[in-house]
Amino acid sequence: MSSFADESIISDFVAESREHLATIEPDLLRMEQEGAKVSAEVINRVFRAIHSIKGGAGFFAFDALKRLSHAMEGVLMQVRDGKLKVAADVMDVVFASLDRLKAMLDDIQASDSVPFTQELAKLEAILNGQGVAVGEMVKGREKGATREFDLDAESVRSALRRGMNLFRAIAYLHRDIRDKGLTPLAFLNNALSVGTCLDAFIDVEAIADLEHCLEQDLPVTLLFASVLEPDLAALGLKLPVDQVKVMEVEALRKEVKAKAKAEQKVVAVVAATPPEAEPEAEIPGDLPAEEKTTREVTKDTGNETLRVRVDLLTNLMNLAGELVLGRNQLVRAITDSQHEIPGLGAILQNVNQVTTEMQEGIMQTRMQPIGTVFSRFPRIIRDMSRQLEKQIDVHIEGAEVELDKSIVEMLVDPLTHIIRNCADHAIESPAERQKARKDPTGTIHLHAFHEGGQINIAVHDDGRGIDAKKVLAKAIAKGLVTKAQGAEMTEREMVHLVFEPGFSMAEKVSEISGRGVGMDVVRTNVEKLGGHVEMETELGMGTTVRLRLPLTLAIIPSMIVGVADHRFAIPQVNVVEFVWVKASEVSQRIEQVQGALVLRLRDKLLPLVRLADVLGLQRVFENPETGEQLPDRRVSLADRRGELPEEPDNATPRQGDRRTDWRSDHNIIVLRVGKNHYGVIVDELFDIEEIVVKPLSGFIQGTKCFSGATILGDGRVIMILDAGGLATVANLHFTDLQAEELRRAEEEKRSAALKASRRRSVILFEAATGERFAVPQDHVLRLERIVKTKIEFIGEREYIEYRGEGLPLLRLDQHLAVRPLKAELQELFLVIPKIPGQSSTTRPPAGILISEILDALDVEVELKAVEFTGPGLLGSAVVQDHLTLFLDPVALLQAAGLMGGVA
Amino acid sequence: MSQFATFHVGDRLFGLDILGVREIIRVFNITPVPRAESHIRGLINLRGQIVTILDLAVRLGHEALPVKDSSHIVILKHGANTAQGNGRNQGGTQDLMGLLVDAIGDVVEAEASLAEAPPANLTDAEERFLSGVLKTDEGLLVLLNLQELLSSG
């Protein structure tokens, strides 16, 4: 008996387990009916449900529940692995155990007092390979006595209260079912459409011996409740009238009592401790059901909440949507006559507002913070760490993130499994952690956050991580993948094998987790929600499991777009921006890279798809002349002819060309898929509307392009585009584009470097008036001001005294086709060139005479050859709006023969 | 005796057990679903619920027929029996299905057990989706196998 578990957690566990049991029953029936043909999915579903119950029971220390579900799980595992055939006797035991589980869950605190040893013994007998023996035992016990219905007193009572008749109907498998072209399932479905089936069994006793059982007709006996009169019930069940008999309540009472007595007797023999309070089977009419109901109600009060069925809320939501629709129509219909009736405007406004608020309110009823799930984990971890003798801390972040209720509920199972796995397998014992030089206390980090319109949940532990190679080896051993497949797998893919059904990581089977159904459950449940699971792990460092979930069922603002005559909704969270490319700009902005359309957007390459193409719709364009819609047959946007075609002389000239007409402008919506962006070309953009996502039929989910459908304000149904699916269907290669982008970025860098190399620091000066020159600064050693009178002549050559020595002077006009310096200037400047390879103290070979220094600046120029290029000119360029000649002083000096011995 | 809702597709009269029929409505505003299988005619808004419409003619391997004035949609009681749909939605309100038919006929009473096997000269699709033939006063009534009809693939 649990001493530590919190009341509310336990009641959650009970509610979940009941749900599990409710789903199991039809699946078990299907297993029995379809035998070996039953799909693995069904068996897995049952198995996982029982496993969940077992996990919870083990955790909360409900011993009876745990032992029984554990044994059931064992049997089901043998069935799943094909070691055990789904025979009727096996299923008898499974069903009986299932009923016991239900009884235990009905009063969980007293669950240990529910007798179950008999079922347990049978399950264990099956597990020990005595399935047949057990079957005989069961048969032996029942020999001679007609089999009785397993009665659920509550359902009988409720049926009678609703004025239903109870029937014992016998259907023969061959005569009544097969020969009428029905399958047993169809028969049962039919039966369920006219009433309620309370119990059914196949009377194996009626068969003389096993060898002839196939030829013989098997009678199926149904306990059937329906409002129909006996003859109509027979008609509804498609059975001969004599096979459907009304049951007397008196007879029923006897049967139930007899059953209860028999049970008590058996239990008294088998069980060491007789049950204290085997609930007396309540007979309809005997005891009113009120007592039990009141007890339940009082239990739930205390907080200001009320349990409401989700389908009720869903229905309300639909109705609210309808109401909005009706309101819109009403407003439209009476807008014109509004002024004729005084006060109508105010009434309309009131209706309007109330409707909107009601719709919003109903929407909100479905939202719940994820914290309702998270809050249970610290307790679970605390208790688990005590059981496992580990030290574990839990950190929770983002508990306030809100999700649709159904999603929150569906997350309980997967998250619990992940958390249990973390505590049970991932986090090492304190001793182990210390050996690995880690903090002896392990940490589990739960983090929920919104990102891109999705809910992200990350569960991180700092445990031992997962060894990808071990996972692969195990998967190969289990036959999940072949060796050849394994050889081609990335490490990531190997790790993700743990999500495969039937994979088990744990070395030993523990009661809490570890039969390898855990991660399978996680993936199945999350994918059912339209979500996605990923796992990252680093050996020795820890593992992170990431869940990405959509916000389906919630109201989402969406952009309505039009393509051809179809409309679609794009959730706004996927929309990054909207780009409008004018028809005349198409050739500059849209191009083809490796056969795919791309848009150049702020130095990024954005893959483009045409929505019409991805969805296989006929593109249309509006003829600029007539305005009619014509099919568009152009294949590519980028390859459009740049030049207008030459019109034959006699052809009537086109009035407007589609390539430049505004109607050919492109509306591009940039969408986000994870880290990647891409553009979708649509024809038209409409409003942004708040839409309610409605799930798609399984028939349509295969298209991958749509995440749901919705109903617009005008009542029309439109599809909601799935940005991720669209990218997949369009076969976008983001990585190729990234490579291309990288290439371009590098090119850009190179050209920038090239540009930089063209940048020069120059000294700008004038020789004759208006004739400008520039000398790169790195060619100049010094600039000196001199007075004209200081210039001395030796022969034809001019000299000046420079640092105690004669420095030859050079005039530009003597060597280049330029005008001489103005003669009247008294003050001149001298450029002392820098000779490469010489230090600044070496005597310079010569100086160049100039008239005035204008500026020293950085210019970015591309030098052009000058027609009168003589030796000593680098070229010309326009600097500060003047044509400027760039000098190469060294070459100039060489040409003048002034370099002397200097190279 | 069972009651059958009857309807015409092409020149044939088909029947469905009336217990499997939720309602029959006139055709309006079917939103096509791009890229869906050809027998998915589209979606409609039935009082706030989205119903997936199957084109019965295409499902049976024939050409899609244009929507006429006489065309109707038979809304079925049971949801689709697809891999995704059978878990939580069984009998639920989410996965509503409808059949697009050319015209509707009367409700016919007949003994279901008298149904004969469908004739041999059928297309593959027909063989899968037809469960039998009944002789009635109205002529031959072809019975549809609803379960197959509503399973995907």
Side-chain angles (χ1 to χ4, degrees), chain A residues 255-300:
Chain A
E255 253 184 55
V256 173
K257 271 209 176 125
K259 182 176 155 240
K261 237 182 242 160
E263 225 163 53
Q264 261 175 342
K265 222 158 82 190
V266 174
V267 168
V269 175
V270 178
T273 48
E276 303 141 325
E278 173 78 27
E280 181 80 38
E282 284 168 336
I283 302 307
D286 274 1
L287 258 177
E290 271 77 33
E291 198 191 317
K292 201 176 171 193
T293 330
T294 34
R295 227 191 300 152
E296 272 170 13
V297 170
T298 45
K299 220 187 264 177
D300 276 348

Side-chain angles (χ1 to χ4, degrees), chain A residues 528 698-699 701-702, chain B residues 82-89 95 152:
Chain A
K528 221 187 263 172
F699 270 100
Q701 281 169 5
Chain B
T82 54
Q84 289 92 344
N86 64 358
R88 294 165 64 78
N89 289 343
D95 210 357
S152 60

